[in-house]
Amino acid sequence: MTSDDQLYMIGLTLVKGIGNVLARQLIQYFDGAKPVFSSPQRVLEKVPGIGEYTAVKIKESESAALKRAEKELLFIEKNKIDVYSIADERYPLRLSECHDAPIVFYYKGAADINAKRIISIVGTRNATEYGRSLTESLIKDLSQSFPDILIVSGLAYGIDICSHRCALKTGLPTVGVLAHGLDRIYPALHRNTAAEMLKNGGLLTDFMSETNPDRENFLQRNRIIAGLADATIIVESAEKGGALVTADIAFSYGRDVYTYPGRVTDKFSKGCNRLVQLNKAGLITSAHDLISAMCWDVAEKRPQQLDIPFTEKPDHPILTLLSEKGEFHINELAALMNLPVHHLSPMLFELELAGHIQALPGGMYKLKT
């Protein structure tokens, strides 16, 4: 991506009223970000989802947005920061599959954010000794089986920073997703860990420099944590908290979610137990459980292919479940069939291709009538 492309991509993120979903539609419609700014208002109004009001906002914001984008490009060049855009072939494949993926994010580090295996580990900021011990054991055992697995978290207090530090200790690459620009580190207490992560990991954000870690930014940060990974692991969480938000986001993306159980009387196990109860997370007790659930222990074997006829409706357990209830979320089906989501998805695709089922928004499926 040229600096000119970067300029207009960054500029598009600064137009008020245009989020990642609408921005992505504009980029696809015009085959780039530059034409969004150069097109007259009457042309913008014809783009699906835009209309007169948003078209006016784009034209009004054009000058200020591009001026701020130029300033950001100088910061990026000076600090050797890498810019990824949704139109870039290097853009992380997993994240690109998310409908609200950031059209631009900034990355500084050495880790491969398109690694073969990536997991996100998050949890309460008030981690207990139980939670820290689980995190350490999980990462240590994973490192012995997969020395190149990438650990993603949010650099926050508690389980997040424990995950990063354990990854560094065992030699695993680890990436911290930030809720602010790369000109600062929050919390400041984790600055040394962040600096160490740049050597065998990295720092990633979709916020520009001079952006403070405001409360609303953390939800946006959590979407990237969930979207970058094959699976999200919740170690400890109370009944409410950012970790559960991340779990819900990962669930909505159709990604695997796992959690550790705890005593029903423990405050920071209640959220985890609730996820299992709602069939939003699989229960694990060790790295071996996670490896088995993700089928990484048989990853090199050729996956079983279904022989599904295109003319006759097969006697298939997925069709049986859908006929009984009507609609299922992909994660519910995965739990009922005891399969990881990434193994279930090809089955659903073949059934859809054969005309037996229909995919609905939000990861839902039903029988095709």
Side-chain angles (χ1 to χ4, degrees), residues 127-134 136 236:
T128 67
E129 183 58 37
Y130 171 71
R132 287 191 292 269
S133 176
L134 291 175
E136 291 170 3
E236 281 189 307

Side-chain angles (χ1 to χ4, degrees), residues 84 89-95 97 105 107 110-120 146-152 172-175 200-201 204 227-231 255 294 296:
Y84 286 74
E89 291 183 356
R90 304 174 307 143
Y91 195 95
L93 179 61
R94 297 169 181 84
L95 191 59
E97 295 171 346
F105 69 80
Y107 177 64
D112 179 8
I113 48 179
N114 255 319
K116 185 176 181 180
R117 295 180 179 87
I118 304 178
I119 62 167
S120 292
F146 308 107
D148 58 350
I149 188 172
L150 175 62
I151 307 297
V152 175
L172 291 179
T174 180
V175 168
N200 187 34
L204 186 155
L228 274 175
D230 298 304
R255 302 292 168 82
M294 296 297 294
W296 285 344

Side-chain angles (χ1 to χ4, degrees), residues 99 251-254 328-331 359-365:
H99 72 281
F251 184 82
S252 73
Y253 289 159
F328 269 108
H329 190 278
I330 186 173
N331 286 41
L360 303 173
M364 300 293 293
Y365 287 86

Side-chain angles (χ1 to χ4, degrees), residues 5-27:
D5 293 329
Q6 291 177 350
L7 174 69
Y8 288 99
M9 278 288 189
I10 295 171
L12 192 55
T13 68
L14 296 165
V15 177
K16 292 183 178 179
I18 295 183
N20 288 316
V21 175
L22 193 53
R24 193 168 182 174
Q25 292 177 5
L26 284 166
I27 293 166

Side-chain angles (χ1 to χ4, degrees), residues 39-267:
S39 296
Q41 181 181 327
R42 65 179 184 277
V43 174
L44 292 170
E45 290 176 3
K46 296 178 181 178
V47 179
I50 297 298
E52 180 181 357
Y53 177 81
T54 306
V56 169
K57 286 294 181 183
I58 292 173
K59 302 314 291 182
E60 289 179 348
S61 304
E62 181 176 334
S63 178
L66 294 178
K67 184 177 180 180
R68 177 64 183 88
E70 288 177 351
K71 180 180 178 181
E72 191 64 16
L73 283 176
L74 293 175
F75 171 80
I76 289 165
E77 183 178 359
K78 179 181 178 181
N79 293 280
K80 296 180 172 58
I81 294 169
D82 207 354
V83 182
Y84 286 74
S85 87
I86 197 70
D88 193 335
E89 291 183 356
R90 304 174 307 143
Y91 195 95
L93 179 61
R94 297 169 181 84
L95 191 59
S96 70
E97 295 171 346
C98 306
H99 72 281
D100 55 355
I103 63 165
V104 170
F105 69 80
Y106 311 96
Y107 177 64
K108 188 174 178 65
D112 179 8
I113 48 179
N114 255 319
K116 185 176 181 180
R117 295 180 179 87
I118 304 178
I119 62 167
S120 292
I121 304 175
V122 293
T124 178
R125 295 179 178 227
N126 302 295
T128 67
E129 183 58 37
Y130 171 71
R132 287 191 292 269
S133 176
L134 291 175
T135 304
E136 291 170 3
S137 296
L138 174 66
I139 293 175
K140 180 182 177 182
D141 293 344
L142 284 174
S143 70
Q144 294 173 358
S145 298
F146 308 107
D148 58 350
I149 188 172
L150 175 62
I151 307 297
V152 175
S153 197
L155 203 72
Y157 290 110
I159 297 300
D160 286 27
I161 195 63
C162 180
S163 299
H164 292 307
R165 288 171 176 166
C166 290
L168 291 171
K169 184 178 179 180
T170 56
L172 291 179
T174 180
V175 168
V177 185
L178 311 178
H180 50 77
L182 285 172
D183 58 336
R184 62 200 69 194
I185 291 296
Y186 175 84
L189 189 63
H190 299 163
R191 181 176 296 276
N192 290 340
T193 301
E196 190 177 352
M197 287 166 63
L198 294 177
K199 302 172 186 176
N200 187 34
L203 301 174
L204 186 155
T205 183
D206 62 334
F207 294 102
M208 296 195 306
S209 61
E210 302 179 10
T211 303
N212 291 319
D214 296 328
R215 185 181 182 87
E216 61 270 18
N217 295 352
F218 287 89
L219 173 60
Q220 194 166 325
R221 185 275 307 267
N222 291 347
R223 292 186 178 277
I224 298 180
I225 292 176
L228 274 175
D230 298 304
T232 296
I233 291 85
I234 315 299
V235 178
E236 281 189 307
S237 177
E239 289 183 284
K240 294 182 179 180
L244 294 187
V245 173
T246 307
D248 282 337
I249 294 170
F251 184 82
S252 73
Y253 289 159
R255 302 292 168 82
D256 285 355
V257 180
Y258 298 99
T259 189
Y260 285 92
R263 292 183 300 187
V264 295
T265 54
D266 288 352
K267 177 180 179 181

